[in-house]
Amino acid sequence: MTADAEDLLTVPEVMIRLRLGRSKVYDLIRSRRLPSITIDRARRIPASAVRGFIADRLEEAA
């Protein structure tokens, strides 16, 4: 699987997509429920990780 720069989201972009606050997004990252990578000092979340997170929550709710 290949990932382009377009596939990597910033924390504010994830906040918008999930409609969550900054602290909650970082909490999800810290608890490893939302995978992320660090490039130098920049935190990036793969778009596929956000989609997977949503899919997991939907499965739990079903």
Side-chain angles (χ1 to χ4, degrees):
M1 181 167 93
T2 62
D4 297 333
E6 297 172 16
D7 295 327
L8 297 175
L9 305 172
T10 63
V11 169
E13 290 170 331
V14 173
M15 290 168 53
I16 291 168
R17 287 186 184 208
L18 296 179
R19 291 178 174 82
L20 295 173
R22 181 179 181 274
S23 297
K24 184 60 179 177
V25 172
Y26 277 109
D27 180 51
L28 293 171
I29 291 169
R30 265 191 301 280
S31 66
R32 300 186 186 270
R33 290 184 284 169
L34 186 60
S36 68
I37 61 171
T38 303
I39 303 170
D40 293 329
R41 293 179 48 93
R43 179 68 62 172
R44 296 293 179 261
I45 301 95
S48 60
V50 175
R51 288 190 300 272
F53 177 80
I54 293 168
D56 290 347
R57 300 296 86 72
L58 288 172
E59 284 182 22
E60 288 176 9

